């Protein structure tokens, strides 16, 4: 019978009424979609619109402060590395090169003196070796493990005792009057010129590149933070204008406070970074560039002095083909080094921006000119067979080429000291201009966001 459920054990009537399908549940909406709907609903009332405006203003001001703090923290860290890490390491690398080159020069001068080697010459050689070893330790402590610079430092630490051993053998045989001493000294010089100095130059190049990278991170304008600051100020101005149109009230204390804090942060950001950027650029243009040129000039003078000494040590044993002629290899290298010295001094004169920087360079140029004259006279004596006279004109006292070399080296050292001070002053001023900006921006942004929320809250209270 219709409507009677089938009894247990019986089959349902196939002709009975069909089952009615259960209506499908509506698809579940995502939280995002529901939030959009609530936001759209809230935007239809003035209190809802005010809450949205307040939230957006707070987010903009906080984002402005956060991005400012982030970008300026990175730039301040890079400026700190310029002042306290990468530039000092670049100078240390240059000192390693200079110490090695000067040690090589002192060794050849002591060899030429033979049994009459002075205590001053010996002390100079030992001091240069000790300085190179100490600077290598400093560079190793500040280099990244596994980096190319660390590998170069390890190589130099291995080569330094090998070079020193060759020099000691040369001295020993030289005191005994054995000609093989000259061969050992030439071998030591080859190790210095072909292995050690190129490695030191490579270390200097790597550290100089690292310094340039730090400048590249410290000086660019923080455009993202500036753009957010302008956007936040525009939004705050629009909110206050909207408030004035709807209430005819000129000022909203909370929004005014938020605008003031955002303005302070933006001005601090633009002015502070502009001043820091100008000081850092000045430290590079009138500090780092001058230091690089002066380091190169000093190295050229040391190499020239070493080759001048080795010309007398080798006594024509090493030659090189120039055009169709065979000329003394060390005297040829001396000429090349003096050309490099002249170019370096000319560049240093152009870069010097005050009398204290120009005067020692000018004096070095005059000493270089006199050095060339005395060297020419000494070469004439040697080529005419007057070896002792040539030796006296190179390593003797007053009137020798060594006197000119010492004067050039001293003046270049004075110029380097001055330019190092110029760099530290300018780079320190640049770093100081960024000091406090990241933390100050973050704190002011929090205050500005609180002001925006309170200002909007004051309007909302009027609807309760």
């Amino acid at each position: 019978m219709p409507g009677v459920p089938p009894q247990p054990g019986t089959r349902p009537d196939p002709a009975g009424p069909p089952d009615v399908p259960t209506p499908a549940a509506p698809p579940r909406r995502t939280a995002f979609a529901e939030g959009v709907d609530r936001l759209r609903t809230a935007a239809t009332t003035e209190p809802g619109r005010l809450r949205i405006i307040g939230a957006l203003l707070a987010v903009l001001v906080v984002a402005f402060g956060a991005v400012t703090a982030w970008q300026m923290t990175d730039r301040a860290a890079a400026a700190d590395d310029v002042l306290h890490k990468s530039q000092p390491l670049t100078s240390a690398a240059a000192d390693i090169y200079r110490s090695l080159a000067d040690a090589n020069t002192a060794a050849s001068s002591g060899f030429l003196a033979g049994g009459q080697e002075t205590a001053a010459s010996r002390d100079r050689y030992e001091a240069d070796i000790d300085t190179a070893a100490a600077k290598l330790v400093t560079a190793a402590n500040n280099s990244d493990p596994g980096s190319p610079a660390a590998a170069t430092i390890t190589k130099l630490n291995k080569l330094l005792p090998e070079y020193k051993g060759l020099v000691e053998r040369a001295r020993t045989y030289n005191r005994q009057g054995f000609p093989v001493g000259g061969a050992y000294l030439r071998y030591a010089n080859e190790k210095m010129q072909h292995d050690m100095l190129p490695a030191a130059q490579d270390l200097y190049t790597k550290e100089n590149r690292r310094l340039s990278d730090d400048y590249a991170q410290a000086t660019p304008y923080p455009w993202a933070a500036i753009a957010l600051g302008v956007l936040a100020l525009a939004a705050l101005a629009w909110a206050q204008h909207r408030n004035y149109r709807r209430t005819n009230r000129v000022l909203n204390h909370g929004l005014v406070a938020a605008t003031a804090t955002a303005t302070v942060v933006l001005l601090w950001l633009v002015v502070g970074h502009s001043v820091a950027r100008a000081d850092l650029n000045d430290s590079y243009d009138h500090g780092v560039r001058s230091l690089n040129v002066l380091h190169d000039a000093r190295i050229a003078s040391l190499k020239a002095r070493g080759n001048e000494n080795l010309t007398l040590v080798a006594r024509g044993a090493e030659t090189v083909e120039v055009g169709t002629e065979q000329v003394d290899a060390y005297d040829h290298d001396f000429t090349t080094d003096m050309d490099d010295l002249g170019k370096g001094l000319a560049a240093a004169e152009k870069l010097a921006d005050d009398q204290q920087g120009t005067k020692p360079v000018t004096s070095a140029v005059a000493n270089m000119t006199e050095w060339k004259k005395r060297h020419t006279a000494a070469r004439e004596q040697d080529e005419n067979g007057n070896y002792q006279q040539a030796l006296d004109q190179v390593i003797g006292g007053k009137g020798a080429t060594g006197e000119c070399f010492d004067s050039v080296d001293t003046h270049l050292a004075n110029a380097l000291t001055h330019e190092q001070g110029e760099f530290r002053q300018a780079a320190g001023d640049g770093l100081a201009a960024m000091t406090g900006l990241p933390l100050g921006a973050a704190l002011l942004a929090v205050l500005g966001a609180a002001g925006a929320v309170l200002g909007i809250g004051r309007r909302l209270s009027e609807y309760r």
Side-chain angles (χ1 to χ4, degrees), residues 210-264:
R210 182 179 176 182
L211 174 61
S212 297
D213 290 342
D214 285 337
Y215 269 106
Q217 292 179 16
T219 54
Y221 273 107
W223 291 116
I226 293 173
L228 271 174
V230 172
L231 182 61
L233 283 176
L236 286 165
W238 171 82
Q240 291 177 87
H241 180 65
R242 180 181 185 277
N243 182 60
Y244 170 72
R245 283 169 43 210
R246 291 177 178 270
T247 65
N248 207 30
R249 294 171 185 169
V250 177
L251 298 177
N252 178 292
H253 294 164
L255 294 178
V256 169
T259 304
T261 56
T263 302
V264 169

Side-chain angles (χ1 to χ4, degrees), residues 110-115 169-182:
F111 185 90
L112 287 172
R169 287 188 182 183
R171 279 178 169 152
T172 299
Y173 287 125
N174 188 43
R175 291 193 193 99
Q176 296 173 356
F178 296 147
V180 72

Side-chain angles (χ1 to χ4, degrees), residues 56-114:
L56 290 177
L57 290 176
V59 168
L60 270 177
V61 174
V62 169
F64 170 43
V67 173
T68 299
W70 164 54
Q71 291 196 304
M72 293 311 300
T73 296
D74 284 349
R75 282 156 177 75
D80 186 75
D81 284 344
V82 164
L83 182 60
H84 296 119
K85 194 170 184 180
S86 52
Q87 198 284 325
L89 281 177
T90 300
S91 292
D95 287 339
I96 291 171
Y97 194 113
R98 186 203 64 78
S99 298
L100 292 174
D102 194 53
N104 201 45
T105 299
S108 60
S109 297
F111 185 90
L112 287 172

Side-chain angles (χ1 to χ4, degrees), residues 130-426:
D130 291 343
T131 298
K135 294 293 184 179
L136 283 171
V137 171
T138 300
N141 290 335
N142 288 280
S143 63
D144 297 327
S147 65
T152 303
I153 293 167
T154 300
K155 179 180 179 180
L156 284 170
N157 275 322
K158 179 182 177 181
L159 290 172
L160 188 59
E162 294 178 6
Y163 169 81
K164 191 174 181 181
L166 290 171
V167 171
E168 292 306 319
R169 287 188 182 183
R171 279 178 169 152
T172 299
Y173 287 125
N174 188 43
R175 291 193 193 99
Q176 296 173 356
F178 296 147
V180 72
Y184 270 105
L185 187 65
R186 291 196 300 274
Y187 185 32
N189 178 70
E190 288 177 3
K191 184 176 286 292
M192 177 65 74
Q193 298 292 342
H194 298 159
D195 296 328
M196 299 178 71
L197 290 182
Q201 179 66 47
D202 182 57
L203 178 63
Y204 175 69
T205 301
K206 287 184 173 71
E207 295 300 340
N208 219 352
R209 190 179 301 120
R210 182 179 176 182
L211 174 61
S212 297
D213 290 342
D214 285 337
Y215 269 106
Q217 292 179 16
T219 54
Y221 273 107
W223 291 116
I226 293 173
L228 271 174
V230 172
L231 182 61
L233 283 176
L236 286 165
W238 171 82
Q240 291 177 87
H241 180 65
R242 180 181 185 277
N243 182 60
Y244 170 72
R245 283 169 43 210
R246 291 177 178 270
T247 65
N248 207 30
R249 294 171 185 169
V250 177
L251 298 177
N252 178 292
H253 294 164
L255 294 178
V256 169
T259 304
T261 56
T263 302
V264 169
V265 173
L266 184 59
L267 289 175
W268 190 2
L269 172 64
V270 173
V271 175
H273 186 269
S274 296
V275 171
R277 177 188 171 94
D279 286 331
L280 287 170
N281 286 337
D282 184 62
S283 73
Y284 186 84
D285 292 335
H286 301 293
V288 173
R289 290 179 61 197
S290 293
L291 287 169
N292 288 344
V293 168
L294 290 168
H295 280 308
D296 291 342
R298 198 177 187 191
I299 287 168
S301 72
L302 288 164
K303 292 171 69 175
R305 179 60 177 171
N307 283 317
E308 184 177 46
N309 290 341
L310 287 166
T311 301
L312 296 177
V313 172
R315 304 185 73 171
E318 301 285 343
T319 61
V320 65
E321 186 174 348
V322 178
T324 59
E325 298 182 3
Q326 291 288 329
V327 299
D328 187 283
Y330 296 115
D331 192 49
H332 176 265
D333 289 342
F334 169 85
T335 302
T336 301
D337 294 332
M338 291 300 280
D339 289 341
D340 291 340
L341 174 60
K343 294 175 183 176
L345 291 176
E349 278 190 303
K350 291 180 181 178
L351 290 172
D353 58 346
D354 56 18
Q355 184 64 23
Q356 286 180 291
T358 304
K359 186 176 179 180
V361 178
T362 303
S363 299
V365 171
N367 292 137
M368 179 193 67
T369 303
E370 181 62 24
W371 184 359
K372 288 180 178 179
K373 293 178 182 178
R374 295 183 185 183
H375 175 80
T376 300
R379 293 302 305 140
E380 289 176 357
Q381 292 291 338
D382 188 34
E383 290 170 357
N384 291 331
N386 300 322
Y387 179 78
Q388 187 58 47
Q389 287 86 341
L391 186 63
D392 291 340
Q393 290 181 350
V394 172
I395 66 169
K398 189 173 179 60
T401 59
E403 185 180 42
C404 296
F405 161 71
D406 288 337
S407 294
V408 169
D409 192 65
T410 299
H411 288 307
L412 286 176
N414 292 338
L416 281 166
T417 300
H418 172 71
E419 297 300 336
Q420 187 71 32
E422 293 279 290
F423 161 79
R424 286 175 181 160
Q425 180 65 45

